[in-house]
Amino acid sequence: MIKSPYKINKNFSKLNPFSKKNLLNIYHKLYFSRFVEEVIQNEYPNQQMKTPTHLGIGQEAISVGVCLNLKKKDAIFSHHRSHLPYISSDGSIYKLFCELLGKKNGSSGGKGGSVHLCSRSNGFYGSTAILGQAIGLAAGAGLAFKLKKKKNISVAFFGNSSLEEGLSFETLNFCSLKNIPTLFVYENNFYSTEMPNYKGDMKNFNPQKIVKGLGIKYLKVDGNNISDVFFKSKYAIDYIKKNSRPVFIEFITYRWLEHCGPYYDYALKRYYRTKKEVMYWKKFCPVASFKKFLIKKGFNKDISLLEKKINKKVNLIYKKALKSKKPILKDLQTNV
Amino acid sequence: MIKSPYKINKNFSKLNPFSKKNLLNIYHKLYFSRFVEEVIQNEYPNQQMKTPTHLGIGQEAISVGVCLNLKKKDAIFSHHRSHLPYISSDGSIYKLFCELLGKKNGSSGGKGGSVHLCSRSNGFYGSTAILGQAIGLAAGAGLAFKLKKKKNISVAFFGNSSLEEGLSFETLNFCSLKNIPTLFVYENNFYSTEMPNYKGDMKNFNPQKIVKGLGIKYLKVDGNNISDVFFKSKYAIDYIKKNSRPVFIEFITYRWLEHCGPYYDYALKRYYRTKKEVMYWKKFCPVASFKKFLIKKGFNKDISLLEKKINKKVNLIYKKALKSKKPILKDLQTNV
Amino acid sequence: MSKKIISYSEMIGQAITSNMKKNNKIFISGLEIDYSSKVFGSLNKPFEEFPSRFVQTPAMENGLCTILAGSAINGMRPIFVNNRCDFLLLAFDPIVNIIDKWNYMFDGNAGNCPIVITAVIGRGWGQGATHSQSFHNFFSRLSGINVFLPTFPSDVSRVYNYALKTKKASIILHHRGLFKIKEKQNFSKKFCLSNIIKKGKDLAIITFSYGSIQSLQVSNKIEKKFGRKITILNLVSLNPLDKTKILRVAKNHKNILLLDIDHDEGGINDQIFNIIKTNFVNKIIKKIGYKKIPAPAAESLEKLYYPSNQVIYDIACKLLQINHKKNKIKTDYNFVGPY
Amino acid sequence: MSKKIISYSEMIGQAITSNMKKNNKIFISGLEIDYSSKVFGSLNKPFEEFPSRFVQTPAMENGLCTILAGSAINGMRPIFVNNRCDFLLLAFDPIVNIIDKWNYMFDGNAGNCPIVITAVIGRGWGQGATHSQSFHNFFSRLSGINVFLPTFPSDVSRVYNYALKTKKASIILHHRGLFKIKEKQNFSKKFCLSNIIKKGKDLAIITFSYGSIQSLQVSNKIEKKFGRKITILNLVSLNPLDKTKILRVAKNHKNILLLDIDHDEGGINDQIFNIIKTNFVNKIIKKIGYKKIPAPAAESLEKLYYPSNQVIYDIACKLLQINHKKNKIKTDYNFVGPY
Ligand SMILES: Cc1ncc(C[n+]2csc(CCOP(=O)(O)OP(=O)(O)O)c2C)c(N)n1
Ligand SMILES: Cc1ncc(C[n+]2csc(CCOP(=O)(O)OP(=O)(O)O)c2C)c(N)n1
Ligand SMILES: [Mg+2]
Ligand SMILES: [Mg+2]
């Protein structure tokens, strides 16, 4: 069984100086991400969202924590598990639902599906379905910022397999060589599809040594702890801006659901990991653990209000999306 | 100016226990390699060898030293700078000349040119013109040995740029993961075409850290010292066979001539490196320095005899190759 | 035994397994190949019988293809399995610069490179632009690689038996809509580049892969409704192309319909058009292919992007000078996702 | 000024430089681009004027192409320079899955990706199979990328001016035999997909890149010897293809010769053949291309592999029903290596 190298809920105390409003804002983002994904999870079996969908439930703290430190003009790219970074960068939920439902009002007019989201005005430049591309594209956006002498940074969200592709190696070497202001967000969730990385494909693979061997600053962070994610990525982003150098962060996290689709693996009798393991990791839930911290602070009521509000709002938006129009013949050949 | 991290002719004393015959055999191989390349260098301007040719003069010790430790059934692959590994694996010089001259008797029937040599019966499986391929192909040959439960190993000869390609990263990870018996011979000659690696493309690139980060044993060796090359590659090959694990050796060396063609860069007024630098490195000549060692041992006469014999033989072979037949229409569409 | 019904997917597994039994040089490699679905079930059987001959790998299409080519050059017979044809783009260098040319570049002196590359062509259920492509039109232009697109279990059987024995490399592309196709297992074992899967004198359709399935559905309907009979030539191999058979079919038909499962301009449709027209000036030929745009994800657009049975039906009827107007025919493509 | 004679290579440099002056988003990247030869001298001028806008890189074709695509998506106009078209195989994934589809996949909401990719097509002097390929037939099938193969300095000027301004991505392929072609610099600046570079009523040749040069040499000889006049349509763009012009030329000629600079089956020749035959049933069309094998290295084989002027001459004469028998014409391809 794969265990976390960190203790549960290690520490949120660094967030103590934050105002109540700020703290609730963070929780808002975490819970909102979770709930949107849960709506998709629940609706997916109805066969209305006909597009391969990779849910991020369990990994919310990473995108929320990183994106809290970004500016609207920074550039974000993501791999296939794209919903969370899209949501965290304030991409429209209506457009997300529409995209999944194949509607004209989707973020990509229905042409892209779950793996091709974008919200350019929010800095979410795009997600793609081919492993590694997000890494190269983000580096390219960073190169553009550098050439344009802008102070912005670019960010790539990606997982284990993307890192294995030669593309990532080439890109990291380039970014190191050319001083590209890019943050590499490596979501290490211990699995690629149904392969446990640490037994399988990445058995001898040491990201820290490799990344450092390319001259790039490397950090390892508990990806389920919003406080850690927030402060470490803040540090990284400051570092990038100050030194115009890339930074690579390995976030430890865990995906609860199956690789592609809405179910728990154990419910489908897939045996590449045990129910016990999933249950173990649920104890590291980034949303619940932070909620506990806030409840200890006495924000009980605010939280349940906030949750109810989100639930209602998101459900309404989903219904609206269901009713919105499908793209038709005249849309087929536009924007080629 | 790029300087060697090693002292000149550091030490041949480990070879002292070798018999005279053995020592002269090593010198034979070194001098033979050098002289064959010099014949090509001298004849190339006559425009009879119409194929882009990358001469290895200055780098002889690596292929000679490595190949002395190989068996006929081991598998060698090489990048574009292919003559030396081909010669060291006892590939026919007649076929080499014929190939360069575009003759039917060439090692590839004239279809391949300088970059596509092969001598399968001698274990030289092939060289290719695309950066990185030799690395992947050698790993594949190693995989085949492993699957066939053969005790042989495979070897890849390649330079700086091949190592930069994502292909090398993917391959090294694979070999580490699957316990592939492959020796990676990295000929670090400080340049790729006209780019000084350590100022340019490889400024932040640390092969040792990267290779180790992939769980592979790494050695760094003075590639101009035949004794070092011989013993370190012997050690590596024993290690590979014993542990069924890959080994990566970085050999430090220097290419004397232009990237592609027979001239000295300074003679063509190319300024990416100075004449002074080339002259400095000539003092590390792997052939001359070993010769000095043998002369000190009193093998003067044997050496000049051996050299004369080689000169005569090689020149004759070249003349024979010049006279041999060109491929004709009926050859064009065979072996597609 | 010989009357057993077998599916396309099972046939892949059976063909691979029986060849593995006979030849211990065959092994299977790819990423995600021990994914529980095992490429729509097609690898279940070989995996059960020869788990140790599976080489599951990291994500490294370029490296893996090069490595497997190297193993083939050194005497093995790798089957490089890909869950999508699109991923092969990352391996175009070893495919084109090594596998295609190895034999020729060394004039046969460096051995063969008998790798078998298989890949699934995604279609429908929101696969989108980068999970639904097929590069048969590109691969077919190479000289050193066979390109096969089997339609039926019988094709699968013959293609694998051939590909796993020939000295040349092969690329086998499986359309995702075919894995559940069933057939009685009493078919001929003789390898053929193409086969006539339906005979008729009124029209000839030359097509392959999922195009053959659609053509059958359309032809059956036309036969039932109007008694008009259609010949369907199923091109199992696009490289080499069965020019003899194409010309034989063309000779006997005035009207010919060409149906590609990619967009049509500058592809195999044009090549066949040329072959026919160069020999028979007066044939009436119509071509069908996708629109020249990437595949959209939304279902409503997918339906417009992929030629429906209706589109094929209408054009076939036009060629047959049947005025049907109100007749509707469904497209029977009911793949259920997500992957 | 306007009467200055300029070479193809100089024109590339000049076109890039003048665009760089006007648009500070343009930059140049590739490996070996500060190699002293600067892609046959073509980058000398931009490098002199804007050395800081050169991004020289390690060997990383896939990574680089993806990165440059990312920079284009973020507002820059990269020119991705390649010393050989063959190396692009390593970048087929970003070319096909990103650059070609970026606009469509996001329905225009994720911006354009206006990258310009240039590459040299090697030929002769023992380049061999992996340093001499051209993938125009593949690239032309993509929907989101323009494919240009300029023949003359005037084409170069117009193509670069267009490609560096349009929102779409472009691939510009330069045949190595063209870099020394010279022309007076008083040509029209108006961009066109194709142009007629010679007019005559007896035969039409439709071709491009180095094929246009060979066609000119052959036509001039035929005109001198036999007084027969040939039209040559120089296709500067293969994607989009100038169908209107092709049909206009076809309309006025009974005999048409198609000449590709790759092997011909299933390529642009077949596509043009189809376009013409679909509209004009009775045209007599001959096609010329390379043999369907990899390029050999030996000079004696290269001469047989690449269609010589003699081959074109003979076929043209046959179409013209000229019985010349003893007439010889040289192939004027005198590139000197090594690279
Ligand atoms: C080039 C390429 N090869 C294979 C795939 C198929 N594929 C999609 S997701 C995936 C595994 C992803 O795992 P990981 O990178 O760890 O991300 P996670 O799903 O865990 O977030 C694979 C192999 C692909 N999309 N692209
Ligand atoms: C994929 C690819 N990209 C570019 C080239 C062009 N090229 C040929 S050799 C070379 C540099 C090789 O330098 P290095 O690897 O250091 O080997 P050396 O020549 O020093 O032995 C380059 C860039 C190529 N052959 N293949
Ligand atoms: Mg993962
Ligand atoms: Mg080098």
Side-chain angles (χ1 to χ4, degrees):
Chain A
M1 193 176 105
I2 285 161
K3 292 207 172 183
S4 171
Y6 302 101
K7 283 205 206 121
I8 302 178
N9 313 337
K10 236 171 46 187
N11 205 339
F12 293 101
S13 58
K14 270 189 97 178
L15 285 170
N16 278 330
F18 276 43
S19 69
K20 181 173 172 183
K21 199 180 142 196
N22 273 347
L23 290 173
L24 284 175
N25 177 42
I26 295 175
Y27 184 69
H28 185 289
K29 285 188 169 284
L30 281 171
Y31 182 78
F32 186 71
S33 296
R34 169 66 54 90
F35 190 73
V36 169
E37 288 287 72
E38 283 178 348
V39 167
I40 298 167
Q41 181 193 11
N42 293 329
E43 295 288 340
Y44 202 70
N46 297 331
Q47 291 278 327
Q48 288 165 308
M49 295 181 260
K50 293 191 181 173
T51 168
T53 294
H54 311 82
L55 296 170
I57 295 179
Q59 308 187 172
E60 294 85 353
I62 300 171
S63 41
V64 169
V66 169
C67 290
L68 275 169
N69 288 299
L70 296 177
K71 304 253 179 292
K72 278 276 173 261
K73 299 228 155 164
D74 292 334
I76 301 166
F77 288 87
S78 164
H79 67 151
H80 56 281
R81 204 167 299 286
S82 55
H83 300 184
L84 295 180
Y86 172 91
I87 299 170
S88 296
S89 64
D90 297 330
S92 148
I93 297 311
Y94 174 63
K95 289 187 180 174
L96 170 64
F97 290 149
C98 282
E99 191 59 36
L100 300 184
L101 290 162
K103 301 300 182 88
K104 171 88 175 127
N105 285 330
S107 79
S108 302
K111 283 174 177 164
S114 159
V115 286
H116 296 112
L117 304 177
C118 74
S119 179
R120 187 79 188 229
S121 58
N122 289 298
F124 192 86
Y125 276 47
S127 62
T128 80
I130 300 296
L131 294 170
Q133 286 183 346
I135 297 177
L137 289 169
L143 171 64
F145 285 140
K146 198 192 151 190
L147 292 170
K148 292 191 276 186
K149 300 205 166 65
K150 293 267 160 77
K151 261 291 171 199
N152 296 96
I153 71 157
S154 63
V155 184
F157 285 88
F158 58 94
N160 311 69
S161 282
S162 291
L163 189 56
E164 293 165 351
E165 294 280 359
L167 176 54
S168 72
F169 173 75
E170 294 178 354
T171 303
L172 291 171
N173 187 31
F174 180 90
C175 290
S176 176
L177 187 63
K178 304 290 180 189
N179 299 309
I180 304 299
T182 300
L183 176 65
F184 295 97
V185 176
Y186 169 39
E187 303 178 326
N188 180 3
N189 59 10
F190 299 101
Y191 288 89
S192 295
T193 59
E194 304 183 359
M195 172 154 49
N197 306 122
Y198 282 58
K199 279 192 273 176
D201 52 340
M202 294 185 127
K203 212 172 61 185
N204 300 326
F205 192 102
N206 187 325
Q208 173 164 12
K209 281 193 193 164
I210 295 163
V211 168
K212 286 190 174 173
L214 294 164
I216 293 181
K217 191 174 189 67
Y218 164 95
L219 304 172
K220 188 165 182 167
V221 177
D222 180 348
N224 287 353
N225 181 308
I226 183 67
S227 168
D228 277 18
V229 174
F230 177 79
F231 286 107
K232 295 277 173 56
S233 56
K234 183 172 166 38
Y235 164 78
I237 290 166
D238 289 346
Y239 182 94
I240 293 169
K241 289 188 178 167
K242 205 166 139 197
N243 302 283
S244 189
R245 293 282 304 159
V247 174
F248 184 105
I249 311 183
E250 174 172 354
F251 289 103
I252 302 298
T253 187
Y254 197 80
R255 144 174 79 78
W256 292 8
L257 302 175
E258 60 180 329
H259 166 67
C260 180
Y263 300 111
Y264 282 97
D265 286 298
Y266 55 77
L268 298 173
K269 304 223 160 96
R270 291 197 200 106
Y271 300 115
Y272 70 94
R273 56 180 182 176
T274 58
K275 180 170 178 177
K276 202 177 137 205
E277 185 181 293
V278 179
M279 289 308 162
Y280 162 81
W281 276 95
K282 280 195 160 188
K283 289 185 280 180
F284 294 82
C285 174
V287 186
S289 58
F290 186 60
K291 184 174 173 177
K292 216 168 175 178
F293 168 73
L294 295 187
I295 286 175
K296 265 194 201 143
K297 281 196 179 289
F299 302 166
N300 230 342
K301 269 200 194 150
D302 311 84
I303 284 179
S304 64
L305 214 72
L306 176 153
E307 289 184 356
K308 264 183 215 145
K309 239 173 89 183
I310 289 176
N311 295 5
K312 198 173 154 192
K313 188 177 137 197
V314 172
N315 281 325
L316 270 176
I317 294 176
Y318 187 75
K319 277 194 193 121
K320 190 178 148 204
L322 268 179
K323 278 183 230 140
S324 93
K325 278 188 199 141
K326 292 178 181 177
I328 56 174
L329 187 57
K330 79 167 178 44
D331 303 311
L332 182 63
Q333 300 199 50
T334 53
N335 293 309
V336 176
Chain B
M1 193 175 103
I2 285 161
K3 292 208 170 183
S4 171
Y6 302 101
K7 282 204 207 123
I8 302 179
N9 314 337
K10 234 172 46 184
N11 205 339
F12 292 101
S13 58
K14 270 189 95 178
L15 286 170
N16 278 331
F18 276 43
S19 71
K20 181 174 172 181
K21 201 181 140 195
N22 273 347
L23 290 173
L24 283 174
N25 177 42
I26 295 176
Y27 184 70
H28 185 289
K29 285 187 169 288
L30 281 171
Y31 182 77
F32 186 71
S33 295
R34 170 66 54 91
F35 190 73
V36 170
E37 288 287 72
E38 283 179 347
V39 167
I40 298 167
Q41 181 192 11
N42 293 330
E43 294 288 340
Y44 202 69
N46 298 331
Q47 291 278 325
Q48 286 165 307
M49 294 180 262
K50 293 191 181 171
T51 168
T53 294
H54 310 83
L55 297 170
I57 294 178
Q59 308 188 173
E60 293 85 352
I62 301 170
S63 42
V64 169
V66 169
C67 290
L68 275 168
N69 288 300
L70 296 177
K71 303 256 178 291
K72 279 274 174 262
K73 299 227 156 164
D74 292 333
I76 302 166
F77 288 86
S78 164
H79 68 152
H80 58 280
R81 203 167 299 287
S82 55
H83 301 182
L84 294 180
Y86 172 91
I87 299 169
S88 297
S89 65
D90 298 330
S92 149
I93 296 312
Y94 174 64
K95 289 187 179 175
L96 169 64
F97 289 149
C98 282
E99 191 59 35
L100 300 184
L101 289 161
K103 301 301 183 89
K104 171 86 174 130
N105 285 330
S107 80
S108 301
K111 283 173 177 164
S114 159
V115 286
H116 296 112
L117 304 177
C118 73
S119 178
R120 186 80 188 229
S121 59
N122 289 297
F124 192 87
Y125 276 46
S127 61
T128 80
I130 300 295
L131 293 170
Q133 286 183 345
I135 297 177
L137 288 169
L143 171 65
F145 285 139
K146 199 192 152 192
L147 293 170
K148 293 191 277 185
K149 301 205 165 63
K150 294 268 160 75
K151 262 291 173 199
N152 297 97
I153 71 157
S154 63
V155 185
F157 286 88
F158 57 93
N160 312 69
S161 282
S162 290
L163 190 55
E164 293 165 349
E165 294 279 359
L167 177 54
S168 73
F169 173 75
E170 295 177 352
T171 304
L172 291 171
N173 186 32
F174 179 90
C175 289
S176 176
L177 187 62
K178 304 290 180 188
N179 300 308
I180 304 300
T182 300
L183 176 65
F184 296 97
V185 176
Y186 169 38
E187 304 177 325
N188 179 3
N189 61 11
F190 298 100
Y191 288 89
S192 294
T193 59
E194 304 183 358
M195 170 152 51
N197 307 121
Y198 283 57
K199 278 193 273 176
D201 52 340
M202 295 185 127
K203 213 172 60 182
N204 300 327
F205 192 102
N206 186 324
Q208 173 164 11
K209 281 193 193 162
I210 295 163
V211 169
K212 287 189 173 174
L214 293 164
I216 294 181
K217 193 175 186 67
Y218 164 95
L219 304 171
K220 188 165 182 168
V221 177
D222 180 347
N224 286 354
N225 181 307
I226 184 66
S227 167
D228 276 16
V229 174
F230 177 79
F231 286 107
K232 295 278 172 56
S233 55
K234 183 170 166 37
Y235 164 78
I237 290 166
D238 289 346
Y239 182 94
I240 293 169
K241 289 187 178 170
K242 207 166 137 197
N243 303 282
S244 190
R245 293 281 305 158
V247 175
F248 183 105
I249 311 183
E250 174 172 355
F251 290 103
I252 301 297
T253 188
Y254 197 80
R255 144 174 79 77
W256 292 7
L257 302 175
E258 60 180 329
H259 166 67
C260 181
Y263 300 111
Y264 282 98
D265 287 298
Y266 55 76
L268 297 173
K269 305 222 160 98
R270 293 198 199 105
Y271 299 115
Y272 71 93
R273 55 181 182 176
T274 59
K275 179 169 179 176
K276 201 175 139 208
E277 184 180 295
V278 179
M279 291 307 165
Y280 161 82
W281 276 94
K282 281 196 158 188
K283 288 185 281 180
F284 293 84
C285 174
V287 187
S289 59
F290 185 58
K291 183 173 174 178
K292 218 169 176 179
F293 168 73
L294 295 187
I295 286 173
K296 267 195 199 143
K297 282 194 177 290
F299 301 166
N300 228 345
K301 267 200 191 148
D302 311 84
I303 285 179
S304 66
L305 213 73
L306 176 155
E307 289 185 355
K308 262 182 215 145
K309 239 173 91 181
I310 289 177
N311 295 4
K312 198 173 154 193
K313 188 177 138 197
V314 173
N315 281 325
L316 270 175
I317 294 176
Y318 188 75
K319 274 188 195 128
K320 192 178 148 205
L322 269 178
K323 278 184 229 141
S324 94
K325 278 187 198 141
K326 291 178 181 178
I328 57 175
L329 186 56
K330 79 168 177 47
D331 303 310
L332 182 63
Q333 300 199 51
T334 54
N335 293 308
V336 176
Chain C
M1 266 297 280
S2 66
K3 290 271 163 101
K4 217 188 104 194
I5 284 177
I6 191 162
S7 76
Y8 189 93
S9 164
E10 286 164 350
M11 193 67 242
I12 296 174
Q14 185 174 306
I16 291 178
T17 310
S18 71
N19 278 283
M20 284 179 97
K21 273 183 191 152
K22 282 176 252 163
N23 184 348
N24 64 10
K25 299 296 188 297
I26 298 172
F27 70 102
I28 298 174
S29 189
L31 57 144
E32 304 175 289
I33 52 171
D34 62 10
Y35 203 31
S36 52
S37 81
K38 294 268 179 310
V39 194
F40 305 109
S42 63
L43 298 183
N44 281 334
K45 198 180 162 94
F47 189 69
E48 262 165 40
E49 300 225 12
F50 302 108
S52 69
R53 283 157 76 180
F54 272 65
V55 180
Q56 160 96 359
T57 78
M60 49 179 287
E61 288 82 358
N62 181 17
L64 183 56
C65 190
T66 309
I67 288 169
L68 296 178
S71 80
I73 288 162
N74 197 11
M76 298 301 290
R77 279 201 169 264
I79 304 178
F80 175 27
V81 176
N82 294 272
N83 268 306
R84 285 293 178 277
C85 189
D86 313 70
F87 305 158
L88 284 177
L89 286 167
L90 287 160
F92 266 39
D93 179 62
I95 292 174
V96 175
N97 279 337
I98 298 176
I99 297 166
D100 175 47
K101 301 177 171 58
W102 193 261
N103 208 14
Y104 188 82
M105 285 192 302
F106 298 98
D107 206 21
N109 298 322
N112 304 297
C113 185
I115 185 174
V116 172
I117 301 174
T118 75
V120 177
I121 305 166
R123 166 174 166 171
W125 222 90
Q127 288 294 303
T130 64
H131 271 53
S132 58
Q133 296 166 94
S134 174
F135 299 112
H136 56 272
N137 279 312
F138 176 75
F139 294 143
S140 302
R141 287 183 52 83
L142 301 173
S143 51
I145 305 183
N146 301 311
V147 180
F148 301 128
L149 288 94
T151 308
F152 299 97
S154 49
D155 298 330
V156 167
S157 164
R158 291 185 289 252
V159 159
Y160 274 88
N161 285 336
Y162 180 83
L164 288 170
K165 279 171 199 139
T166 180
K167 284 180 180 175
K168 266 206 181 185
S170 300
I171 294 178
I172 306 177
L173 302 178
H174 298 300
H175 193 286
R176 202 175 59 166
L178 299 171
F179 283 84
K180 289 178 184 162
I181 298 282
K182 288 194 169 70
E183 203 178 9
K184 262 200 205 146
Q185 218 183 332
N186 58 349
F187 38 73
S188 143
K189 296 215 157 152
K190 209 171 150 249
F191 178 70
C192 50
L193 297 175
S194 72
N195 47 45
I196 289 171
I197 54 174
K198 194 173 163 65
K199 268 191 188 161
K201 59 177 192 356
D202 299 319
L203 170 72
I205 304 183
I206 303 178
T207 183
F208 49 95
S209 186
Y210 196 69
S212 295
I213 302 297
Q214 288 194 280
S215 300
L216 267 180
Q217 291 167 355
V218 168
S219 309
N220 288 339
K221 172 115 180 183
I222 290 177
E223 190 171 334
K224 251 193 218 153
K225 275 266 162 197
F226 309 103
R228 307 290 290 276
K229 297 209 167 161
I230 296 176
T231 290
I232 301 174
L233 179 62
N234 175 43
L235 299 172
V236 180
S237 168
L238 295 190
N239 194 29
L241 192 61
D242 197 346
K243 289 180 200 171
T244 323
K245 198 83 76 61
I246 289 171
L247 286 175
R248 203 180 306 151
V249 165
K251 195 176 162 198
N252 298 322
H253 292 85
K254 206 184 120 204
N255 295 312
I256 300 160
L257 182 57
L258 310 178
L259 173 57
D260 194 352
I261 56 162
D262 190 5
H263 83 81
D264 111 295
E265 281 179 10
I268 196 85
N269 275 357
D270 280 344
Q271 191 178 342
I272 298 172
F273 180 96
N274 174 275
I275 291 168
I276 297 175
K277 278 284 181 185
T278 304
N279 288 275
F280 306 106
V281 183
N282 293 316
K283 300 294 174 184
I284 296 166
I285 307 176
K286 285 269 172 258
K287 303 186 300 164
I288 303 181
Y290 304 170
K291 306 228 159 33
K292 191 178 173 176
I293 52 171
E299 194 189 25
S300 62
L301 296 178
E302 275 182 348
K303 280 187 177 155
L304 300 163
Y305 175 73
Y306 295 109
S308 62
N309 282 358
Q310 189 70 48
V311 166
I312 302 166
Y313 185 76
D314 289 351
I315 293 177
C317 284
K318 212 172 165 186
L319 275 169
L320 289 162
Q321 294 180 295
I322 297 170
N323 194 337
H324 72 80
K325 276 198 180 139
K326 280 175 218 142
N327 256 314
K328 290 269 168 274
I329 174 170
K330 267 204 191 149
T331 302
D332 183 26
Y333 190 79
N334 45 19
F335 180 87
V336 176
Y339 195 69
Chain D
M1 265 298 278
S2 68
K3 289 272 163 98
K4 219 186 102 192
I5 284 177
I6 191 162
S7 76
Y8 190 93
S9 164
E10 286 164 350
M11 193 67 241
I12 295 174
Q14 186 174 305
I16 292 177
T17 310
S18 70
N19 278 284
M20 285 178 96
K21 272 183 193 151
K22 281 176 254 165
N23 184 348
N24 64 9
K25 298 294 186 301
I26 299 171
F27 69 102
I28 298 175
S29 188
L31 57 144
E32 303 177 289
I33 51 171
D34 63 10
Y35 203 28
S36 52
S37 81
K38 294 267 180 309
V39 194
F40 305 110
S42 64
L43 297 183
N44 281 335
K45 198 178 162 95
F47 190 69
E48 263 165 38
E49 300 224 14
F50 301 107
S52 70
R53 284 158 74 180
F54 272 64
V55 180
Q56 160 96 357
T57 78
M60 49 180 287
E61 287 82 358
N62 181 17
L64 184 56
C65 189
T66 309
I67 289 169
L68 296 178
S71 80
I73 289 163
N74 197 12
M76 298 300 292
R77 281 204 169 262
I79 304 178
F80 176 27
V81 176
N82 294 272
N83 267 307
R84 285 292 178 280
C85 189
D86 313 68
F87 305 158
L88 284 176
L89 285 167
L90 287 160
F92 265 39
D93 178 62
I95 291 174
V96 174
N97 279 335
I98 299 175
I99 297 166
D100 175 46
K101 301 177 171 56
W102 193 261
N103 207 16
Y104 189 81
M105 286 192 302
F106 298 98
D107 206 21
N109 297 324
N112 305 297
C113 186
I115 185 174
V116 172
I117 300 175
T118 75
V120 177
I121 305 166
R123 167 174 165 169
W125 222 91
Q127 287 294 303
T130 64
H131 271 54
S132 58
Q133 296 165 93
S134 174
F135 300 111
H136 56 272
N137 280 312
F138 175 75
F139 294 142
S140 303
R141 286 182 53 82
L142 302 173
S143 51
I145 305 184
N146 301 310
V147 180
F148 301 128
L149 288 94
T151 309
F152 300 98
S154 48
D155 298 330
V156 167
S157 164
R158 291 186 289 252
V159 159
Y160 274 89
N161 285 336
Y162 180 82
L164 288 170
K165 277 168 202 142
T166 180
K167 283 179 181 177
K168 267 207 181 185
S170 300
I171 293 179
I172 305 177
L173 302 178
H174 298 299
H175 192 286
R176 201 174 60 165
L178 300 172
F179 283 83
K180 288 179 184 163
I181 299 282
K182 287 194 170 72
E183 202 178 9
K184 262 201 203 144
Q185 217 181 333
N186 57 349
F187 38 73
S188 143
K189 297 216 155 149
K190 205 167 153 257
F191 177 70
C192 50
L193 297 175
S194 73
N195 49 45
I196 288 170
I197 54 174
K198 195 172 161 67
K199 269 193 188 159
K201 60 178 190 359
D202 299 320
L203 171 71
I205 305 181
I206 303 179
T207 184
F208 50 94
S209 186
Y210 196 70
S212 295
I213 301 297
Q214 289 194 280
S215 300
L216 267 180
Q217 291 166 355
V218 168
S219 309
N220 288 338
K221 172 114 182 183
I222 290 177
E223 187 169 339
K224 248 195 218 150
K225 274 268 161 192
F226 309 104
R228 306 291 290 276
K229 297 207 167 163
I230 296 175
T231 289
I232 302 174
L233 179 62
N234 176 43
L235 300 172
V236 180
S237 168
L238 295 190
N239 195 27
L241 192 60
D242 197 345
K243 290 180 198 171
T244 323
K245 199 84 77 56
I246 289 171
L247 285 175
R248 203 180 306 152
V249 165
K251 194 177 163 198
N252 298 323
H253 292 84
K254 206 184 121 206
N255 295 312
I256 300 160
L257 183 57
L258 309 178
L259 173 57
D260 193 352
I261 56 163
D262 190 3
H263 84 82
D264 109 296
E265 281 177 10
I268 196 85
N269 275 358
D270 280 344
Q271 191 178 341
I272 298 171
F273 180 96
N274 175 276
I275 291 168
I276 297 175
K277 279 282 181 185
T278 304
N279 288 276
F280 307 106
V281 181
N282 292 316
K283 300 295 174 182
I284 296 166
I285 308 177
K286 286 268 171 256
K287 302 186 301 164
I288 303 181
Y290 304 169
K291 306 229 161 30
K292 191 178 173 176
I293 51 172
E299 194 190 24
S300 62
L301 295 179
E302 275 183 346
K303 280 186 178 157
L304 299 163
Y305 175 73
Y306 294 110
S308 62
N309 281 358
Q310 188 70 47
V311 166
I312 303 166
Y313 185 75
D314 290 351
I315 293 176
C317 284
K318 214 170 163 189
L319 276 170
L320 289 163
Q321 295 181 295
I322 296 170
N323 192 338
H324 71 79
K325 275 198 180 141
K326 279 175 221 145
N327 256 314
K328 290 268 168 274
I329 174 169
K330 267 202 192 150
T331 302
D332 184 25
Y333 190 79
N334 45 19
F335 180 87
V336 176
Y339 195 70

